[in-house]
Amino acid sequence: MTFTGFPDEGLVFYEGLEADNSKTYWTHSRSVYEDCVRAPMQALVDELAGEFGPAKLFRPYRDVRFSHDKTPYKTHQGAVAHQEGRGAGAWYVQVSAEGLRVAGGAWRLESDQVERYRRAVADDVQGPRLRTEVDRLAGAGWTVDGDRLTRVPKGYDVDDARADLLRHRSLHAGRLFPFAEWLHTREALEHVRSAWRELTDLNAWLADNVGATTKEVRRR
């Protein structure tokens, strides 16, 4: 299937789901989700796979086991792409009623990866490389975020110019493209491609300095 854009019916579907997040609505509208949301998203990431790696589409069902919010369905469709064998660093895309969200980086790091991340941030060569890239993304309109400690971890200089980066336990950058007519066209593919390319250096830094988990390395 060639990607031609996200049909308006898919965005209307999510507007309805936000208003009525119920099994009744979902069952009645399931075909719209499959044809106007999931199929176009699969087509989009399939076209990007050659450059960014194979992608996985997330399931539409929420995990409500430990959440106070018991609504059963996600109000967006997301997908994540990884370059195989590169460990940390991924590309993300999401479509919803509000528009198109793109992101990249590392959302979850295991303890061994966090330790390697901290050592790299503290390094006199790798640390400034990350500082420069994070500042570049922030200056270009990206929101840099991630799970972080309230204080710099023990053993690291609290006065370091990269103290804010040392507090991170995960690191990712994202931006939202609000709804526009191009979302219904093939132009959406080029927006995602260009945005993901902007995140290449961040993901390369994570792959080079954080890498895979110990478990992943043992499975190879």
Side-chain angles (χ1 to χ4, degrees):
M1 177 180 176
T2 300
F3 177 77
T4 57
F6 291 99
D8 187 55
E9 293 89 339
L11 305 188
V12 172
F13 161 78
Y14 276 125
E15 290 177 348
L17 187 61
E18 289 177 358
D20 181 13
N21 199 313
S22 68
K23 185 175 181 179
T24 299
Y25 176 86
W26 178 264
T27 300
H28 181 265
S29 308
R30 179 66 182 263
S31 62
V32 177
Y33 164 76
E34 295 289 351
D35 296 340
C36 300
V37 177
R38 189 173 183 85
M41 179 64 82
Q42 186 67 64
L44 183 148
V45 296
D46 284 349
E47 291 203 43
L48 295 170
E51 182 174 353
F52 300 100
K56 171 188 175 182
L57 269 64
F58 290 102
R59 289 161 54 86
Y61 313 105
R62 296 183 63 251
D63 184 352
V64 300
R65 291 174 299 173
F66 309 107
S67 175
H68 292 297
D69 180 1
K70 299 302 182 182
T71 52
Y73 305 104
K74 298 174 183 175
T75 55
H76 61 265
Q77 175 64 62
V80 62
H82 295 271
Q83 286 189 322
E84 294 181 352
R86 294 287 283 161
W91 288 270
Y92 179 77
V93 59
Q94 169 185 302
V95 66
S96 68
E98 66 176 347
L100 190 73
R101 184 173 295 278
V102 288
W107 282 262
R108 289 184 181 180
L109 294 177
E110 301 295 335
S111 58
D112 58 311
Q113 292 177 302
V114 172
E115 186 52 40
R116 289 196 295 273
Y117 167 81
R118 289 172 179 167
R119 289 200 302 265
V121 172
D123 182 81
D124 289 338
V125 175
Q126 297 303 326
R129 279 185 57 206
L130 181 61
R131 172 84 282 161
T132 297
E133 183 58 19
V134 166
D135 291 348
R136 182 190 70 81
L137 289 169
W142 292 83
T143 298
V144 179
D145 208 345
D147 180 33
R148 57 195 119 178
L149 303 173
T150 56
R151 300 177 182 176
V152 172
K154 292 181 180 180
Y156 294 93
D157 188 350
V158 295
D159 296 324
D160 192 283
R162 301 181 295 279
D164 60 319
L165 296 176
L166 283 168
R167 292 193 294 112
H168 278 264
R169 291 181 54 84
S170 62
L171 181 69
H172 46 84
R175 70 188 309 169
L176 172 69
F177 294 109
F179 171 76
E181 288 299 322
W182 55 256
L183 195 57
H184 300 322
T185 74
R186 189 169 172 78
E187 188 179 341
L189 172 67
E190 298 310 318
H191 277 273
V192 177
R193 192 196 309 275
S194 296
W196 280 7
R197 284 175 175 171
E198 285 191 65
L199 298 164
T200 297
D201 287 346
L202 174 63
N203 278 342
W205 189 96
L206 290 165
D208 292 342
N209 293 284
V210 178
T213 66
T214 300
K215 292 179 181 179
E216 288 173 329
V217 171
R218 288 172 179 171
R219 286 199 297 265
R220 292 176 184 170

